[in-house]
Amino acid sequence: MCWLTNLLKPKDNPKPKIELLSMPSIEVAKEIEGLSQKLMFPCLLDYGQDYYYTTDKGWAEVFDYIYTVFDMPPYVAARCDCEDFGILLKGLVSALFGLNYFALTIGNIPQGCHGFDFFRTDTGHLIIEPQ
């Protein structure tokens, strides 16, 4: 039995089938550099491997599924806060859908340092507030 089963809400929702798109890691690195972004740990980019993403519609279905099916934990400052939600969403996206052009991003916003997720669609790059 999958460890994710323990997080499932009682109702059973079928996982959507999404269109998988891919890009070689060297292209991912060029895109990120072209956006004037930096990888915190460049060694985490799996060189020689493909990175998978989906369409705008596919991402909408992914997020709808995750936030409908899973009981997300409540926000607790310093114990379950922004980067924890970002890591959790990253893990669910990777484990359930195999989409790895999706990353935890930590940066400065007007209120201070904040964690969120960054991902690629068929039309460009977006961020999501995982809370």
Side-chain angles (χ1 to χ4, degrees), residues 4-53:
L4 292 174
T5 305
N6 295 333
L7 295 175
L8 288 173
K9 290 180 181 175
K11 61 184 169 185
D12 183 26
N13 291 329
K15 188 170 84 167
K17 297 207 182 309
I18 58 167
E19 180 181 356
L20 281 180
L21 305 171
S22 66
M23 174 180 287
S25 60
I26 192 73
E27 295 301 319
V28 172
K30 287 178 188 175
E31 279 192 353
I32 292 171
E33 187 176 303
L35 294 168
S36 299
Q37 300 298 306
K38 292 188 187 254
L39 296 170
M40 281 193 294
F41 299 103
C43 64
L44 291 180
L45 187 64
D46 293 322
Y47 289 98
Q49 302 297 314
D50 283 347
Y51 276 72
Y52 294 89
Y53 59 100

Side-chain angles (χ1 to χ4, degrees), residues 76-102:
V76 179
R79 293 190 330 179
C80 187
D81 55 12
C82 58
E83 70 275 0
D84 298 306
F85 279 95
I87 291 166
L88 176 58
L89 186 57
K90 162 73 174 129
L92 290 170
V93 164
S94 295
L96 295 171
F97 294 95
L99 302 170
N100 60 347
Y101 201 150
F102 189 92

Side-chain angles (χ1 to χ4, degrees), residues 51-76:
Y51 276 72
Y52 294 89
Y53 59 100
T54 190
T55 62
D56 288 333
K57 180 180 182 288
W59 282 114
E61 291 177 12
V62 165
F63 298 137
D64 183 59
Y65 177 79
I66 288 173
Y67 285 101
T68 298
V69 172
F70 291 94
D71 269 331
M72 299 304 251
Y75 173 88
V76 179

